Amino acid sequence: MTEQVFIGLGSNLGDRQENLDTAIQAVSKFAKVLRVSHFYDTPPYGYTNQNRFLNAAIEIETGLHPEELLKSLLGLETLMGRVREFANGPRIIDLDLLFYDDWCLETRILTLPHPAISDRMFVLEPLCDLAPKFIHPKLGVTLAELKNQLKSQADSPDAV
């Protein structure tokens, strides 16, 4: 079994909260869900002409190898009706494997830690509910520090 495996969840189609609740319940069939963050209502990222998202994070314990876990998460997305029409498009459910302990891994199907964590407040906010002192294995800083850095960038006026 492993510790401190984090998954990010998001939904912006249908009943967003029900979608997240259903996904968390389904994950519990192949992993032990240890903790669930608050749910956050957030604007869309990338493609902005779509509904707002509801985002969360969960901490799980699993005996699955990271690639097996990813395949289980992708299978769950498909089972729940996710259709991938284009990048950052609307989705009934999005499940991202964010961290798997302190693993740093780059394969054809998976990069750990998830490469976009430090750029996305909708990921950092729920992660900080669960583990603000967790140290990003590649960047060497805590999740709380990443969140504060991103917040201060957003609060800064653009350079001229």
Side-chain angles (χ1 to χ4, degrees):
M1 288 297 202
T2 62
E3 295 177 18
Q4 295 205 287
V5 176
F6 296 99
I7 298 169
L9 300 90
S11 175
N12 77 333
L13 294 176
D15 185 329
R16 302 173 307 159
Q17 182 163 345
E18 183 178 315
N19 295 338
L20 294 185
D21 289 338
T22 298
I24 293 165
Q25 184 63 36
V27 167
S28 74
K29 293 185 184 346
F30 55 83
K32 182 178 180 183
V33 177
L34 301 175
R35 295 186 297 156
V36 179
S37 73
H38 292 98
F39 289 6
Y40 292 87
D41 182 79
T42 63
Y45 180 87
Y47 176 68
T48 58
N49 188 23
Q50 61 180 317
N51 299 334
R52 293 179 66 84
F53 277 81
L54 198 61
N55 292 101
I58 58 175
E59 181 179 1
I60 66 165
E61 190 174 82
T62 181
L64 296 175
H65 182 276
E67 287 187 348
E68 291 176 87
L69 178 57
L70 177 65
K71 288 175 184 175
S72 295
L73 295 173
L74 293 174
L76 176 53
E77 287 181 347
T78 300
L79 188 65
M80 288 184 65
R82 176 157 184 193
V83 177
R84 294 174 188 269
E85 293 183 22
F86 55 91
N88 298 316
R91 59 208 91 153
I92 193 162
I93 194 68
D94 185 29
L95 301 169
D96 289 328
L97 179 51
L98 302 173
F99 291 105
Y100 192 100
D101 285 331
D102 60 356
W103 284 45
C104 294
L105 179 70
E106 207 162 320
T107 71
R108 188 181 58 77
I109 65 168
L110 177 62
T111 300
L112 286 173
H114 190 289
I117 291 169
S118 62
D119 300 329
R120 298 181 176 171
M121 189 62 77
F122 64 87
V123 173
L124 287 168
E125 194 91 55
L127 276 174
C128 282
D129 284 351
L130 302 177
K133 294 181 181 178
F134 181 83
I135 296 174
H136 191 294
K138 280 192 174 179
L139 302 177
V141 296
T142 67
L143 295 176
E145 289 171 310
L146 286 174
K147 179 181 158 188
N148 289 336
Q149 288 171 8
L150 190 57
K151 186 176 181 334
S152 61
Q153 288 171 7
D155 291 343
S156 310
D158 292 337
V160 180

